[in-house]
Amino acid sequence: MIAFWVLSVVLIASAVWTITAQKPVYSVVGLLANFAALAILYLTLSAEFLAVIQLIVYSGAILVLFVFVIALLSSGVAPFAAGPNRMPKAALPAVALVCVALGFVVFAVTRGEVAIPPPPAGSTSALGPVGTADVFGSVGDFGKALFTTYLLPFEVTALILMVAVVGVVLLSGTAPAKAPTRRRAAGVRRELREAVVRDGEDRR
Amino acid sequence: MDSALAVLNAAPLWLVVTIKSALLLLVVVTTFAYAMLAERKVMGWMQLRPGPNRVGPWGLMQPASDAAKLILKEDLTPSTADPLIYKLAPFISLLTAFSVYAIIPFGAGSQGTWAIGNVDAGILFLMAISSLGVYGISLGGWASGSKYPLLGSVRATAQMISYELAMSLSFIGVLILAGTTSLDGIVSAQARLWFCIPQAVGFVIYVITAVAETNRTPFDLVEAETELVGGFHTEYSGLRFGSFFIAEYVNMLTVSCIATLLFLGGWNAPFGLTMVPGVLWFVAKVATFMFFYIWLRATLPRLRYDRLMAFGWKVLLPVATLNLIVTAVVVAVRG
């Protein structure tokens, strides 16, 4: 419980820091702290595999690209100039509304009025300390669930990601120059020959 | 001995972990110091010169004098630097370099494995923590507020994320053969045959990517002194430079340990020579790998940057993928 409160404070503080920091790299550092705290929070919830993947995918790959782009784009270490305030006027009421809604969720969960869904039928995962093999949330358990019960959603997600990658390449990449076909090469040769002939006629 | 173990088992977990961590930290830092000395000595012999031989007998006190020098040097911060990140970056490097040792097992006894923590997702944990190591370099280079460190850190980031892919793929071949992600289980799976034989391709890929991940010659474009002065740590001095330096060598040690655990049988004795304790075999294998590193540095010239990237993406990644597919098919067919 102590771990939960400490991690929560770190999580929220780093998230606020990420949003309010003047320099983009500060935001990246805040996000890094956020991801690390989130990974530890997953560990306390006995989601070992999720914690590790959180670090590998988000901190190890995506955030590195952020740093890479910022380092490439921003010259020097000066803070970015603040742009026009594009926040709509409804921002404050919206925040209040979300806070109230979240408060209701927390209240309901602590009062025990919302039932936490039971594990799916056929699940044999036993509860146990984090870090031991074949308990709920371990690599083996997660893999089994992913490739048996949840195989279809998993494959569909993979397909969607693949489509996204292809889409990005299609939208952002420049079209390659058309490869010279035999017919076009013959056309170019003919044009050259005719040009030479014309040139000769002009000289005459 | 038994009573000492009983006392240890009765002690609270946090105390045991603290004591183990302190001991291990001491061992790793000492190993770093003498790995550095060994590198200078061996390189000296390879280049027909004696190497450091003034401080202490046979130069053995050289690491201590180097440490004193680094501590006493002035700690400079360029006026163009971003002070917060500039000071944070060396610590990120050190932290990620050392925290890997929380789960690396060094041997096995009747009381379980010799590791601070034995986690089931061991190899994934290693990948997760070592993938954070790039932040120290990239943030440090950016925060220096000067062009050569920035170039160095941009190179480092690109290089490390490119080679990390092939490295992870070479791990997965081992995982398929062992059928487990725990480092302990992977070593026990190699009791009869070390994985460097059935996973020969994976082993070669791992060795190449390991050198690239630790930014060592011939992949040390990050600190190419002929192009970038000192690379990402040009502006650093004193103990902050020392932190980067320690992190580099500790990372070398880490990848040597991983190579030993995944491909060279860990603490399993070769040819049935079990009268030598397993932990000595482990140390011997790690030392061999470290020597290989030094040997590479004394032998090979630096790659050109575009060649490096092309090699990573167009050669290593496809070969690693192919190796993975072949391994998976063979394991599936043989059941």
Side-chain angles (χ1 to χ4, degrees):
Chain A
M1 207 59 200
I2 301 171
F4 172 76
W5 285 109
V6 172
L7 286 170
S8 305
V9 170
V10 172
L11 265 171
I12 295 172
S14 60
V16 171
W17 165 261
T18 304
I19 298 167
T20 55
Q22 293 288 311
K23 301 180 182 179
V25 170
Y26 283 20
S27 296
V28 167
V29 173
L31 210 52
L32 185 60
N34 192 304
F35 288 162
L38 192 59
I40 301 172
L41 195 65
Y42 283 152
L43 278 184
T44 64
L45 297 173
S46 71
E48 187 191 18
F49 183 72
L50 204 56
V52 171
I53 289 301
Q54 166 80 15
L55 282 183
I56 294 180
V57 174
Y58 285 96
S59 317
I62 294 178
L63 205 56
V64 172
L65 278 183
F66 286 12
V67 178
F68 191 66
V69 170
I70 291 169
L72 273 181
L73 291 186
S74 68
S75 56
V77 294
F80 278 11
N85 186 3
R86 291 207 190 84
M87 197 82 91
K89 291 219 168 54
L92 264 180
V95 168
L97 201 67
V98 169
C99 279
V100 169
L102 282 178
F104 268 120
V105 171
V106 171
F107 180 71
V109 169
T110 49
R111 285 285 300 276
E113 284 168 9
V114 178
I116 294 166
S123 163
T124 53
S125 27
L127 290 176
V130 186
T132 42
D134 296 328
V135 296
F136 175 74
S138 69
V139 180
D141 181 55
F142 196 94
K144 240 175 258 161
L146 202 61
F147 285 102
T148 54
T149 320
Y150 302 105
L151 182 63
L152 186 67
F154 175 66
E155 294 292 345
V156 170
T157 314
L159 191 70
I160 292 173
L161 283 176
M162 190 68 199
V163 170
V165 169
V166 172
V168 165
V169 171
L170 199 69
L171 290 176
S172 65
T174 50
K178 280 188 178 138
T181 55
R182 258 159 212 262
R183 188 183 294 173
R184 191 169 298 123
V188 169
R189 263 200 302 276
R190 197 174 56 240
E191 277 171 21
L192 268 177
R193 219 168 27 240
E194 285 169 0
V196 168
V197 170
R198 266 202 308 277
D199 190 45
E201 284 171 352
D202 288 350
R203 293 259 173 95
R204 207 180 296 145
Chain B
M1 186 65 196
D2 280 346
S3 60
L5 276 177
V7 168
L8 203 63
N9 283 337
L13 184 68
W14 62 267
L15 189 66
V16 175
V17 168
T18 313
I19 294 172
K20 277 183 176 176
S21 307
L23 276 179
L24 193 60
L25 212 58
L26 204 68
V27 171
V28 171
V29 169
T30 315
T31 315
F32 145 71
Y34 282 93
M36 196 184 66
L37 180 68
E39 169 163 43
R40 291 170 67 179
K41 274 283 187 195
V42 172
M43 289 244 313
W45 296 330
M46 284 180 178
Q47 296 163 350
L48 300 180
R49 56 189 173 81
N53 60 359
R54 293 290 146 188
V55 193
W58 204 65
L60 278 179
M61 296 305 288
Q62 186 69 39
S65 91
D66 284 347
K69 185 189 100 177
L70 278 179
I71 291 168
L72 293 177
K73 264 193 167 179
E74 187 185 355
D75 177 28
L76 291 169
T77 306
S79 56
T80 51
D82 183 296
L84 180 69
I85 307 277
Y86 184 81
K87 290 186 173 120
L88 188 68
F91 288 105
I92 296 181
S93 271
L94 265 192
L95 188 75
T96 50
F98 278 116
S99 48
V100 173
Y101 286 87
I103 53 161
I104 289 185
F106 298 95
S110 53
Q111 300 274 327
T113 49
W114 296 10
I116 295 178
N118 187 11
V119 284
D120 178 46
I123 185 69
L124 295 175
F125 226 93
L126 281 184
M127 277 158 72
I129 295 175
S130 60
S131 69
L132 299 182
V134 66
Y135 285 105
I137 293 178
S138 57
L139 290 179
W142 175 83
S144 299
S146 141
K147 58 180 174 260
Y148 294 121
L150 183 66
L151 283 173
S153 72
V154 167
R155 279 185 178 188
T157 316
Q159 172 179 336
M160 286 166 90
I161 51 182
S162 309
Y163 278 73
E164 212 173 316
L165 287 173
M167 190 185 221
S168 315
L169 287 179
S170 75
F171 284 174
I172 299 176
V174 170
L175 293 189
I176 291 177
L177 284 188
T180 171
T181 47
S182 90
L183 295 168
D184 185 20
I186 290 172
V187 171
S188 352
Q190 299 179 75
R192 283 179 52 234
L193 184 66
W194 295 1
F195 284 156
C196 63
I197 298 165
Q199 277 293 308
V201 179
F203 183 53
V204 171
I205 291 169
Y206 175 77
V207 171
I208 296 173
T209 52
V211 177
E213 278 290 295
T214 46
N215 299 318
R216 298 274 304 176
T217 336
F219 301 113
D220 60 342
L221 279 298
V222 176
E223 40 193 283
E225 61 268 22
T226 44
E227 304 159 23
L228 296 180
V229 192
F232 68 95
H233 56 56
T234 304
E235 305 291 352
Y236 282 91
S237 64
L239 210 52
R240 290 189 203 287
F241 166 74
S243 304
F244 279 128
F245 199 64
I246 295 173
E248 183 185 327
Y249 277 80
V250 171
N251 281 333
M252 273 168 69
L253 201 63
T254 308
V255 296
S256 306
C257 287
I258 298 176
T260 308
L261 288 170
L262 294 193
F263 294 101
L264 299 178
W267 51 84
N268 288 319
F271 314 119
L273 294 170
T274 44
M275 60 278 205
V276 181
V279 67
L280 286 188
W281 280 118
F282 188 88
V283 169
K285 288 169 186 172
V286 170
T288 312
F289 207 82
M290 290 290 276
F291 175 78
F292 176 72
Y293 253 112
I294 300 168
W295 193 7
L296 274 187
R297 184 175 168 194
T299 311
L300 292 177
R302 186 176 293 138
L303 252 73
R304 219 174 63 199
Y305 192 68
D306 56 330
R307 294 262 176 89
L308 170 99
M309 293 309 271
F311 183 61
W313 287 102
K314 294 179 185 165
V315 179
L316 282 183
L317 195 59
V319 172
T321 314
L322 202 65
N323 176 49
L324 180 61
I325 294 172
V326 170
T327 310
V329 167
V330 167
V331 169
V333 166
R334 290 183 59 190

